Amino acid sequence: MITWTRLGYLVPVMGVGTFACSQLVIDSVMGEDFYTSHQWPKLVACSLAAIPLIVLGRWLNKDEIDDELHTFNFLPIEYWGVGCIAVGVLWTFVPF
């Protein structure tokens, strides 16, 4: 089950939006299927998604009480930014 509080729904919106835009830009600049055939563009996409998540989460949750944080699946928004970076590094350097 997916749960969020307050503006926590922005985590998947920003994540999917960043990945879609980065794939469109990288494929249009570097050539068709470049994004899917190389690993480093995914690290760039994860990093680009993480930056606004961390900044937005810190800004939204700076004066909030613990019960009223902006969360997605019980984690504050800024933690999802750190998780995005970790997933990007794993995606790039660990073969699946």
Side-chain angles (χ1 to χ4, degrees):
M1 176 170 30
I2 297 174
T3 60
W4 67 84
T5 57
R6 305 186 73 184
L7 293 176
Y9 68 89
L10 291 175
V11 172
V13 170
M14 292 173 73
V16 170
T18 304
F19 273 90
C21 289
S22 65
Q23 183 173 2
L24 288 172
V25 169
I26 289 172
D27 278 347
S28 67
V29 171
M30 305 296 267
E32 190 174 335
D33 293 330
F34 187 87
Y35 183 89
T36 54
S37 62
H38 294 83
Q39 296 301 320
W40 69 265
K42 294 163 188 75
L43 176 62
V44 171
C46 285
S47 299
L48 289 176
I51 293 168
L53 285 173
I54 292 170
V55 170
L56 180 69
R58 298 285 292 174
W59 182 69
L60 289 173
N61 291 329
K62 67 181 172 189
D63 295 328
E64 300 296 330
I65 301 171
D66 288 338
D67 294 337
E68 299 181 12
L69 293 175
H70 300 268
T71 64
F72 182 73
N73 283 345
F74 309 109
L75 291 174
I77 294 175
E78 58 267 27
Y79 293 176
W80 285 97
V82 176
C84 261
I85 293 172
V87 167
V89 169
L90 285 174
W91 204 341
T92 304
F93 297 110
V94 177
F96 292 104

